[in-house]
Amino acid sequence: MSLLPDIEPNQIENIEIDKSQCLLVLLDQTPGIIDDRYPLTQTLRTKVACQHINVNPFDLKGDPVTDKWLIEQFTSDGDTRLIPAADSRYYDYNISDFEKKSVQESLARNVEIVYKELALKHLLLCNETKISVTLPQQKDLLTNSLAVITHGCLFTVKQDRPIILPFHPAIPDAVSACDNILRSFDTSVTALLALLNEKWPYHYRPQDITQGIWNEVDKLARFINRLTVIIYKTKEVTILLQDPQYGAPHMLPEKLNDLMTILDSQRQQLPLDKWLLPEMDELNFHIDQLTEEGELSDTNRNTLLRELELLCKLWKCALKKYHSDNEFNVNYDILKNYVFSQWPEKKNSLMVGIAQKSVKRASTSLIASWNKLLSRVFDLPLGDPRNWLKNVPGITRLWHDPDQNYVIVGSLSSPQPLIQRQPSIRQWHALQGELNYELLAGLVDVGWVRMNQLAGNPCVATLVRRWQECQVQPNKVPCVP
């Protein structure tokens, strides 16, 4: 990595840079602010992989408008611009502002995003870069056996390089270029549109997508931009269509009432004497039972037995504490949180003189094992509800409903008490051949489209959008090597 030579802002667009390089632009401002520097690299973005990163700590740790560092000002043409407040420190920060954990975590996350974006743009703009190198996990799927129509473009692969063409039936050059690609799939632009009309699988008609648009050219453009079609060639050609309306159904998870019972039980406050533990022999008996039933693995069983005496002592301390505080009715979580907040310190004090690394917190597996043991002891459902959430379609992992052809895409992270975003729910139908869920899974089971999320749409949609952003004229048909 190296710095470019000093240059005046109005000369940035004249920088000569090789397409084999990537350009990272460090800024300390948010887009849309007065004296916005983001547009200065507009021309460069069409020549070389270029990405911005904002390192202003006030943007990294919160919302500068909400935090009063910036003020929104409405212009006469209806736009909004941002200006620093009169007494704002927005540009007056120092190195200590970067020492806060929230700022460091946000900056690290942004660096990861920027690196991914640069890699994708470099793949699209540098003719020497190969899919098998940049996206090795998708190299067996992103081949010349695949074509995807999405965001008004046709994507395929030739010689390990992405090929992206505008897909527009009203532009003769685009039709001719797309037909050259589609010929190897035994179809054409005209044949695909005819197949769509013939095999349209939805209760609404295609023209419903363009309601409110009266110009025929604009109607066609709107319809084409909403299409996502996958064409895949093995011994036969499969053509799959994604519902263009993105209509997401309401999902009602099974056993939801059971979960509410669990949550109600965990919120239930009981007298302290109801939380007294039995003798060790009985606890050991329950642990053996849980192991035999497969609820505890041998590893978790051994860990729980090793820590059982200390956990029981801390549980008694928790009961004494709340009794001395005149809190005679408590729920399970209060006692459990006290136990595991004290456990690291007590555990480390027992390891003095032992050549063993100190512990900072109890493992999630130990806490889960304790939950299972006490659920059995007190005959109450005391487990973490997030364990149940793992099996709700769309919260984590990738799911499909073979009866209604829905693909439901969740998060790569463990379930959190507050779900940050809705799951992506897409319905697919086969216009030709059979619905191939392995193919769909391969196109959405990727980690480079969204942070800690699988892709809701086929991953090549991201490549198409980045390609469009890098083009001076996205509708111009490029030369296909």
Side-chain angles (χ1 to χ4, degrees), residues 57-286:
F58 298 113
D59 287 306
L60 293 171
K61 68 182 180 182
D63 184 337
V65 175
T66 304
D67 297 337
K68 309 299 184 184
W69 300 114
L70 301 178
I71 299 173
E72 289 183 320
Q73 187 178 74
F74 297 97
T75 62
S76 57
D77 56 3
D79 290 334
T80 304
R81 67 174 181 175
L82 302 171
I83 58 174
D87 56 348
S88 172
R89 285 184 52 224
Y90 184 70
Y91 288 117
D92 184 23
Y93 51 85
N94 53 57
I95 196 66
S96 63
D97 290 312
F98 292 92
E99 294 174 356
K100 297 177 181 177
K101 184 179 180 181
S102 61
V103 172
Q104 293 176 358
E105 289 177 346
S106 180
L107 184 57
R109 183 170 60 250
N110 290 350
V111 168
E112 185 178 346
I113 294 171
V114 163
Y115 180 82
K116 177 207 72 172
E117 291 292 331
L118 279 175
L120 295 181
K121 291 177 180 178
H122 190 245
L123 171 63
L124 295 167
L125 292 173
C126 178
N127 292 331
E128 305 304 317
T129 309
K130 304 299 183 184
I131 288 176
S132 58
V133 175
T134 304
L135 305 173
Q137 293 182 325
Q138 285 73 49
K139 65 182 178 64
D140 294 330
L141 185 56
L142 301 185
T143 66
N144 60 1
S145 296
L146 175 76
V148 179
I149 298 166
T150 187
H151 295 296
C153 288
L154 171 66
F155 170 95
T156 191
V157 176
K158 186 175 181 180
Q159 297 175 354
D160 205 15
R161 291 276 307 143
I163 302 296
I164 300 175
L165 303 170
F167 183 86
H168 203 301
I171 302 176
D173 287 348
V175 172
S176 177
C178 289
D179 280 348
N180 288 336
I181 298 294
L182 294 173
R183 193 171 294 115
S184 66
F185 297 90
D186 298 325
T187 189
S188 65
V189 174
T190 302
L192 272 178
L193 294 177
L195 183 66
L196 270 173
N197 188 58
E198 178 188 352
K199 297 290 184 69
W200 186 258
Y202 305 107
H203 62 84
Y204 62 91
R205 298 305 302 159
Q207 53 267 32
D208 293 343
I209 298 173
T210 60
Q211 281 185 345
I213 301 175
W214 305 109
N215 183 289
E216 291 300 322
V217 174
D218 292 341
K219 276 188 176 183
L220 181 59
R222 168 72 177 273
F223 178 73
I224 294 299
N225 284 334
R226 291 291 291 273
L227 281 181
T228 296
V229 178
I230 297 173
I231 309 170
Y232 191 64
K233 178 177 61 178
T234 51
K235 292 181 180 179
E236 297 180 349
V237 175
T238 298
I239 301 178
L240 309 179
L241 171 67
Q242 180 180 268
D243 183 355
Q245 278 198 337
Y246 291 177
H250 295 287
M251 289 197 309
L252 185 63
E254 291 181 347
K255 300 182 180 179
L256 185 60
N257 291 335
D258 293 346
L259 177 64
M260 298 311 297
T261 300
I262 293 173
L263 294 175
D264 290 341
S265 297
Q266 291 185 345
R267 286 192 292 262
Q268 184 179 0
Q269 292 189 337
L270 297 176
L272 290 175
D273 61 349
K274 297 294 185 182
W275 292 117
L276 289 171
L277 294 175
E279 298 297 325
M280 292 294 286
D281 287 346
E282 185 176 338
L283 292 176
N284 285 317
F285 170 76
H286 287 307

Side-chain angles (χ1 to χ4, degrees), residues 368-395:
S369 298
W370 183 251
N371 287 337
K372 290 177 181 179
L373 174 59
L374 267 59
S375 295
R376 184 64 57 89
V377 168
F378 297 118
D379 194 24
L380 289 170
L382 302 174
D384 191 335
R386 284 177 290 182
N387 292 327
W388 180 86
L389 287 175
K390 290 177 182 177
N391 295 312
V392 175
I395 303 298

Side-chain angles (χ1 to χ4, degrees), residues 449-469:
V449 169
R450 301 186 295 182
M451 285 293 292
N452 294 323
Q453 288 279 125
L454 299 173
N457 296 312
C459 60
V460 299
T462 296
L463 296 176
V464 168
R465 288 197 302 270
R466 296 299 173 268
W467 178 84
Q468 291 171 329
E469 292 168 6

